[in-house]
Amino acid sequence: MSVLVENSLKKLNIDPVNSLRGEKPGQWSYKTKEGATMWIDVFNFPASPEKYYLQVMSPLSAIPDKNADAFYKDLLEINYKMYDVSMCKKENWIYVLCLRDAAGIDEATLDTVLYRVSFYSHDYYGKLSFKYEGSWTPKTPEAKPGTSLN
């Protein structure tokens, strides 16, 4: 799986070996040319070490301090329109996320996942920050690159 990730990053003109590795093997992070932060994590659980998962996520925004109910409703309606990815809440942040079994993923599928997470993160950040301007103050993401949502 690591070879697939690194091949996909090379197609994006990103050097996966020298600049992007996370704290643990199977972790990468980068910023897209549009400005979306991307975190990739290939991981397993000690209870089933032979089964791996792929998680690609991008921090979208902090939870707004005002208008949270309308914001959450919009997120639910947006989720319906998204393909292969979704928005989720972890602690005080909203992320665009793809979490799936790593088995059977080929390079074309991985390229599509990276594209979709990046596209939706950039696109909906612009739309939601415009619609809810003034509803929150900027905060730093609480999750670290490569941190699993599990």
Side-chain angles (χ1 to χ4, degrees):
M1 188 73 203
S2 292
V3 171
L4 289 178
V5 170
E6 292 185 356
N7 286 343
S8 290
L9 293 174
K10 286 176 188 173
K11 287 184 203 171
L12 298 171
N13 294 320
I14 296 169
D15 180 357
V17 177
N18 294 323
S19 61
L20 301 172
R21 301 239 176 176
E23 295 174 14
K24 299 177 187 174
Q27 296 179 337
W28 299 263
S29 65
Y30 66 97
K31 258 200 185 311
T32 66
K33 63 183 176 186
E34 295 82 19
T37 298
M38 300 286 290
W39 298 331
I40 304 168
D41 190 12
V42 178
F43 65 96
N44 63 355
F45 293 104
S48 55
E50 71 287 347
K51 186 169 177 85
Y52 281 83
Y53 299 90
L54 169 69
Q55 176 176 272
V56 178
M57 62 190 290
S58 178
L60 180 66
S61 75
I63 301 298
D65 300 314
K66 300 182 281 184
N67 303 314
D69 289 343
F71 183 78
Y72 284 132
K73 182 179 177 193
D74 278 344
L75 293 183
L76 286 171
E77 291 177 6
I78 291 168
N79 263 334
Y80 178 76
K81 300 174 189 176
M82 297 171 78
Y83 295 99
D84 293 332
V85 301
S86 60
M87 289 185 195
C88 66
K89 177 187 176 294
K90 179 171 173 41
E91 298 172 4
N92 294 318
W93 273 81
I94 300 298
Y95 297 88
V96 176
L97 169 75
C98 176
L99 177 60
R100 58 176 289 169
D101 287 338
I105 293 179
D106 60 18
E107 203 168 311
T109 302
L110 181 58
D111 292 347
T112 299
V113 167
L114 294 176
Y115 169 77
R116 286 185 176 152
V117 171
S118 170
F119 173 80
Y120 287 130
S121 182
H122 174 72
D123 187 49
Y124 284 113
Y125 172 79
K127 291 174 181 175
L128 291 167
S129 62
F130 177 78
K131 183 173 183 177
Y132 292 96
E133 184 176 6
S135 294
W136 63 87
T137 56
K139 298 174 183 135
T140 302
E142 294 177 15
K144 294 180 182 171
T147 300
S148 298
L149 290 178
N150 301 318

